Amino acid sequence: MSSYVGGIAQTGGSGSLPAPPELLAAPGYVARRLHQSYVAAWVRLVDATLTGPQFAVLTAVNAYPGVEQGSLASSVALDRSTMASIVRRLEDRRLITRETPAEDGRKRLLFLTEDGIETLRDADRRARELDVLLMKGYDPERQDALLRELTALSEHWESLVDD
């Protein structure tokens, strides 16, 4: 556990050292810390089996039933090979189905199964509860502003590696 005192992160526990100021000034380091904390909270409070990327795919398939697998990848910030792997695992768990349209045997259209709908509903409820905890202490306007800033930062960082 860490907290800020005088602009310097203080970590809890005996023998713990604070993060060096050089790291706290590095956006990538801070983003990694946020990600690590988020994944740990997700596993503990939302679902220990369903990963965040799997949840994102289920959410997107729910929003766009019958969507083509390849076109969905960018909407959930995944590359095509990762998307294929996640879809395969969700299909193995019987949370989604992949259907091949008669007119184009190369496409795979995605649909939630009944188990997928139920899994998404349960995980989404707990994910929204986690969202409340994550944004505790921020009024709704500040939450919106923070999410806009984080989205803009994500888009900028993604543009640095777009092919």
Side-chain angles (χ1 to χ4, degrees):
M1 196 72 163
S2 62
S3 62
Y4 269 82
V5 176
I8 298 174
Q10 304 296 313
T11 55
S14 60
S16 294
L17 297 173
E22 298 85 359
L23 290 178
L24 297 175
Y29 170 77
V30 175
R32 185 182 63 77
R33 283 184 58 190
L34 279 169
H35 181 256
Q36 280 183 293
S37 298
Y38 177 76
V39 169
W42 177 275
V43 168
R44 181 176 293 166
L45 301 172
V46 177
D47 196 305
T49 312
L50 187 71
T51 67
Q54 290 172 344
F55 175 77
V57 169
L58 289 178
T59 300
V61 171
N62 187 57
Y64 307 111
V67 68
E68 201 276 316
Q69 176 177 323
S71 65
L72 192 65
S74 65
S75 74
V76 293
L78 296 170
D79 61 65
R80 286 180 171 263
S81 63
T82 302
M83 179 71 174
S85 175
I86 288 172
V87 165
R88 193 169 31 261
R89 286 193 298 274
L90 291 172
E91 188 177 38
D92 290 346
R93 291 181 58 194
R94 293 180 167 75
L95 300 178
I96 63 168
T97 60
R98 286 190 285 187
E99 298 178 14
T100 304
E103 68 276 1
D104 188 347
R106 296 171 297 167
K107 287 186 176 181
R108 299 294 179 265
L109 307 181
L110 305 178
F111 298 90
L112 293 181
T113 64
E114 289 301 318
D115 284 346
I117 292 168
E118 185 177 328
T119 297
L120 177 59
R121 186 180 322 117
D122 292 343
D124 187 67
R125 179 184 48 76
R126 290 187 301 270
R128 298 299 68 85
E129 291 169 358
L130 175 58
D131 289 346
V132 170
L133 291 173
L134 294 172
M135 301 303 273
K136 188 176 180 178
Y138 292 93
D139 64 54
E141 289 154 5
R142 183 64 185 126
Q143 290 178 24
D144 289 344
L146 181 58
L147 289 172
R148 281 193 308 276
E149 290 174 33
L150 289 170
T151 299
L153 187 60
S154 296
E155 290 170 356
H156 170 63
W157 288 14
E158 289 166 352
S159 77
L160 299 175
V161 294
D162 281 345
D163 293 332

